[in-house]
């Protein structure tokens, strides 16, 4: 019973949130909102022209044959032929014109969805980026919008086909109802059986979308990494090519195996369609031929109904086939809607507004904060109590994995505590507009983003209306002025050679200084520096320490470092150990404590004293 219950719950969770009619209505309303009403108009014209063309082709031969049977004058025969020729030419020309103009609006609607998906990915609550379900939905969205043949654009062709099949079905139904009602019933019954079986088989992809999303995510990640030139040296030095090829081959094998299973299921649906079509058409032709042999149909009527029987079957199977396709496409569109409507744990527009100004002093307090990542069994941080006073400079140290970066993410509001509260001036940050709260921070993280643009734009994070004098001042404080002035166009030099052929390439240390200048330019009440000197040489690092007070003047700052000697300039040092704040105080106070901080400091100091890899001046600068 328990197994059956779990299976039912799994089936329920696999059911799409929106059915195919809701998804169709969503796409129609999207086209309307994006002012692409011509998509709907051209679809309607396609439907009318397709039905008209079909009826013209249906009646052309029987009509001409009827004129011949009546021994009508040649003039009537020629007029009949001419009328049908004109109708056929008109339908063909009009159809070609519509088909040549219909693509552009459809692409615009698909691009609107891509834009919405990208906006969701860029503005969603940061915690969603660690949510496995959210990331799998995102991977599926990318696949569903990547080409003209995917559901987000192909659905217009499906809706057009469904509409023209429905209209044709009604017309042919009235035409053939006098032939044999039971025959019509058999055709409908066999077609419905085929439809519902195919609908179930087609749903295989959606029921296993998480499996497909996981495989696609791995494959997409490997494609991205293959284009990442920063790994080229490691691949060659460490002989990583066989390993990478093995991983890629395994992912590709899993991807191929999944789709092979899916297509095997779809093949059975096609075989069933073939069997049902054989029974359906065989019975229809048997009835029609018997009517001819009994003398109840003329030659022209026989030709008309003979063609109509095949056409009626095509309309019925076309309706069901279009619905099957529409159902499959709606699964992808439903996935996109689920992604776009994915719950946001943070408040944005509905949160309290918050105005950030470096001239206003703020206090940030963590009360009994504990945090563990989604799906994790153990807490990364436990019962953290911390107050960051206005203008205070705090250093956070500890071994790798101690939770230093997680603490910063909690302070910045990227995550909400699992337990406890983060308070800004005594108020829970969960009540604020989170985007406004982010404006309270300037930061240099371990992984930073360098956009393809000018040096000035990268510092100001805007392409216009920036303060050039302030940019130069921030770059000078970051110790990068000489490098920028040596570039061809100074502050207007483009960065990133992937986009600009003449783009400049900065070293790791220079890029880190540029990110520091960006943090200073923002001029926020809090500055977060997460290993900001990791790529700097000892002299540049010592220079930054000397300027640290000037750079962070009037701001509260949190500085993360593995190098304990670099924390002397801070007002307070926190040692994170065993998921908690194990020690707290100034550099001298912690040394006098003779605890873990003192032990780690002694190890690092001994290493630098005994090391022969650095010059004496550099050692002194590094330990200052």
């Amino acid at each position: 019973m328990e197994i059956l219950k779990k299976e039912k719950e799994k089936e329920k969770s696999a059911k799409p949130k929106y059915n195919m009619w809701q998804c169709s209505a969503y796409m129609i309303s999207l086209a309307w909102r994006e002012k692409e009403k011509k998509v709907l108009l051209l679809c309607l014209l396609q439907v009318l022209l397709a039905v008209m063309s079909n009826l013209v082709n249906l009646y052309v031969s029987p009509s001409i044959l009827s004129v011949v049977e009546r021994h009508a004058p040649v003039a009537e025969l020629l007029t009949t032929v001419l009328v049908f020729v004109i109708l056929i030419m008109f339908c063909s020309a009009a159809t070609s014109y519509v088909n040549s103009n219909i693509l552009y609006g459809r692409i615009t609607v698909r691009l609107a969805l891509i834009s919405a998906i990208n906006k969701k990915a860029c503005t969603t609550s940061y915690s969603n980026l660690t949510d496995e379900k959210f990331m799998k939905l995102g991977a599926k969205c990318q696949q569903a919008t990547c080409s003209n043949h995917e559901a987000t654009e192909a659905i217009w062709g499906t809706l057009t086909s469904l509409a023209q099949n429905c209209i044709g079905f009604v017309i042919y139904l009235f035409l053939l109802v006098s032939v044999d009602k039971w025959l019509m019933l058999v055709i409908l019954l066999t077609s419905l059986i085929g439809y519902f079986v195919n609908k179930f088989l087609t749903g295989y992809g959606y029921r296993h979308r998480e499996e497909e999303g996981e495989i696609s995510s791995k494959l997409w990640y490997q494609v991205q990494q293959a284009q990442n030139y920063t790994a080229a040296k490691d691949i060659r030095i460490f002989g990583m090519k066989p390993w990478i090829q093995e991983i890629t081959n395994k992912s590709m094998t899993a991807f191929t195996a999944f789709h092979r299973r899916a297509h095997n299921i779809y093949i059975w649906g096609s075989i069933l369609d073939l069997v049902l079509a054989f029974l359906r058409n065989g019975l229809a032709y048997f009835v029609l031929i018997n009517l001819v042999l009994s003398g109840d149909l003329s030659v022209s009527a026989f030709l008309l109904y003979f063609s109509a029987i095949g056409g009626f079957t095509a309309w019925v199977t076309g309706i069901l086939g279009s619905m099957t396709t529409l159902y499959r496409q709606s699964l992808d569109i439903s996935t996109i809607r689920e992604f776009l409507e994915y719950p946001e744990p943070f408040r944005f527009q509905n949160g309290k507004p918050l105005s950030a100004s470096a001239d206003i002093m703020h206090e940030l307090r963590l009360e009994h904060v504990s945090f563990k990542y989604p799906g994790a069994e153990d807490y990364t941080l436990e019962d953290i109590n911390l107050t960051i006073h206005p203008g205070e400079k705090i250093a956070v140290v500890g071994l790798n994995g101690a939770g230093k970066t997680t603490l910063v993410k909690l302070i910045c509001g990227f995550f909400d505590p699992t337990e406890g509260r983060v308070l800004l001036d005594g108020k829970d940050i969960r009540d604020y507009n989170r985007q406004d709260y982010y404006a309270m921070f300037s930061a240099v993280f371990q992984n930073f983003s360098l956009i393809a643009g000018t040096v000035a734009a990268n510092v100001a994070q805007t392409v216009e209306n920036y303060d050039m004098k302030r940019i130069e001042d921030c770059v000078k404080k970051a110790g990068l002025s000489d490098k920028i002035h040596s570039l061809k166009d100074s502050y207007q030099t483009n960065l990133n050679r992937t986009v600009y052929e003449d783009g400049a390439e900065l070293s790791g240390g220079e890029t880190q200084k540029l990110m520091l200048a960006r943090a200073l330019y923002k001029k926020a009440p809090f500055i977060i520096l997460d290993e900001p000197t990791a790529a700097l040489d000892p002299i540049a690092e010592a220079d930054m320490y000397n300027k640290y007070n000037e750079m962070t003047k009037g701001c509260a700052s949190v500085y993360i470092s593995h190098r304990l000697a670099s924390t002397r300039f801070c007002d307070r040092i926190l040692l994170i150990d065993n998921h908690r704040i194990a020690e707290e105080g100034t550099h001298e106070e912690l040394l006098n404590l003779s605890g873990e901080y003192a032990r780690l400091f002694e190890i690092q100091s001994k290493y630098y004293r005994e090391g022969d890899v650095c010059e004496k001046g550099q050692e002194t600068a590094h330990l200052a």
Side-chain angles (χ1 to χ4, degrees), residues 204 211 215 251-262 264:
Y204 176 87
E211 178 185 352
I215 296 171
S251 296
M252 185 59 72
T253 300
F255 183 81
T256 304
F258 176 85
H259 284 279
R260 184 181 291 115
R261 291 197 306 271
N264 285 340

Side-chain angles (χ1 to χ4, degrees), residues 440-445 458-461 470 474-475 478 512-529 532 551-552 555:
M440 302 290 292
F441 297 87
S442 287
V444 178
F445 296 112
N458 269 280
V459 174
Q461 290 292 280
R470 195 162 123 218
C474 292
V475 169
Q512 203 159 30
K513 289 179 181 179
L514 186 68
M515 295 300 100
L516 180 59
R518 183 176 73 177
L520 296 175
Y521 183 89
K522 186 178 178 182
K523 205 175 179 181
F526 296 94
I527 293 181
I528 305 294
L529 302 174
M551 287 189 296
T552 60
C555 301

Side-chain angles (χ1 to χ4, degrees), residues 253-537:
T253 300
F255 183 81
T256 304
F258 176 85
H259 284 279
R260 184 181 291 115
R261 291 197 306 271
H263 285 292
N264 285 340
I265 291 174
Y266 301 152
I267 286 172
W268 281 110
S270 300
I271 292 173
L272 178 65
D273 274 343
L274 183 64
V275 172
L276 291 174
F278 178 79
L279 295 175
R280 186 168 55 239
N281 294 338
L283 179 61
Y285 293 146
F286 176 78
V287 171
L288 190 59
I289 290 172
N290 277 338
L291 289 174
V292 173
L293 294 176
S294 63
D296 293 332
L297 288 177
S298 64
V299 175
S300 58
F302 166 77
L303 183 59
L304 174 65
Y305 289 124
F306 186 84
S307 300
I309 288 290
F312 181 77
T313 304
W315 292 127
V316 174
T317 54
I319 290 173
L320 299 176
S322 295
M323 290 183 70
T324 300
T325 302
L326 184 61
Y327 173 75
R328 185 171 63 248
Q329 291 169 345
S330 71
L331 299 179
D332 285 340
I333 294 172
S334 179
T335 298
I336 291 173
R337 294 186 67 182
E338 288 177 51
F339 178 80
L340 295 177
E341 297 166 8
Y342 204 83
E344 294 291 348
F346 300 162
R347 291 185 177 183
F348 290 100
Q349 287 79 7
N350 61 339
K352 294 179 181 178
L354 183 63
S355 179
S357 173
D359 299 326
I360 301 175
M361 306 298 280
H362 298 275
E363 180 186 84
L364 196 64
R365 187 165 76 251
L366 280 67
E367 287 187 347
H368 302 289
V369 167
S370 296
F371 178 80
K372 62 179 176 181
Y373 287 92
E377 294 183 1
D378 299 326
Y379 281 91
T380 303
L381 293 172
E382 292 184 78
D383 198 28
I384 300 295
N385 289 283
L386 170 65
T387 300
I388 303 175
H389 303 288
E392 185 179 22
K393 296 169 178 55
I394 293 179
V396 181
V397 299
L399 298 176
N400 287 333
K404 302 185 298 297
T405 299
T406 300
L407 177 62
V408 163
K409 289 179 178 179
L410 288 166
I411 291 172
C412 290
F414 293 141
F415 292 115
D416 280 336
T418 307
E419 299 171 12
R421 300 187 301 167
V422 177
L423 306 173
L424 177 67
D425 298 328
K427 296 180 181 179
D428 197 320
I429 67 169
R430 281 177 272 226
D431 296 332
Y432 288 117
N433 179 320
R434 193 59 62 98
Q435 198 63 46
D436 289 349
Y437 181 76
Y438 293 150
M440 302 290 292
F441 297 87
S442 287
V444 178
F445 296 112
Q446 292 180 33
N447 298 319
F448 39 75
S449 58
L450 185 66
I451 63 172
T454 65
V455 172
N458 269 280
V459 174
Q461 290 292 280
T462 182
V463 295
E464 57 185 14
N465 299 326
Y466 47 70
D467 186 338
M468 196 63 219
K469 185 177 180 180
R470 195 162 123 218
I471 289 175
E472 292 175 356
D473 182 58
C474 292
V475 169
K476 182 179 179 181
K477 288 179 178 178
L480 196 60
S481 291
D482 291 342
K483 174 63 181 180
I484 300 304
H485 288 301
S486 71
L487 299 177
K488 179 183 177 183
D489 297 313
S490 190
Y491 287 91
Q492 299 307 315
T493 301
N494 287 314
L495 302 177
N496 194 323
R497 288 180 185 170
T498 304
V499 178
Y500 303 103
E501 291 184 3
D502 62 342
E505 293 287 347
L506 301 180
S507 68
E510 290 165 346
T511 303
Q512 203 159 30
K513 289 179 181 179
L514 186 68
M515 295 300 100
L516 180 59
R518 183 176 73 177
L520 296 175
Y521 183 89
K522 186 178 178 182
K523 205 175 179 181
F526 296 94
I527 293 181
I528 305 294
L529 302 174
D530 189 357
E531 292 285 348
T533 62
L536 301 183
D537 59 71

Side-chain angles (χ1 to χ4, degrees), residues 364 366 381 384-389 392-399 402-405 407-408 411 557-564 567-568 570-577 580-587 589-590 593 596-597 600:
L364 196 64
L366 280 67
L381 293 172
I384 300 295
N385 289 283
L386 170 65
T387 300
I388 303 175
H389 303 288
E392 185 179 22
K393 296 169 178 55
I394 293 179
V396 181
V397 299
L399 298 176
K404 302 185 298 297
T405 299
L407 177 62
V408 163
I411 291 172
S557 63
V558 177
Y559 175 82
I560 294 180
S561 178
H562 283 95
R563 302 171 185 175
L564 304 188
T567 62
R568 287 184 174 185
C570 294
D571 301 318
R572 190 160 37 123
I573 301 169
L574 310 177
L575 173 70
I576 306 294
D577 191 26
R580 300 173 182 271
I581 298 177
E583 297 177 18
E584 182 177 355
T586 64
H587 178 72
E589 287 172 347
L590 292 180
L593 212 78
E596 182 66 11
Y597 180 89
L600 293 174

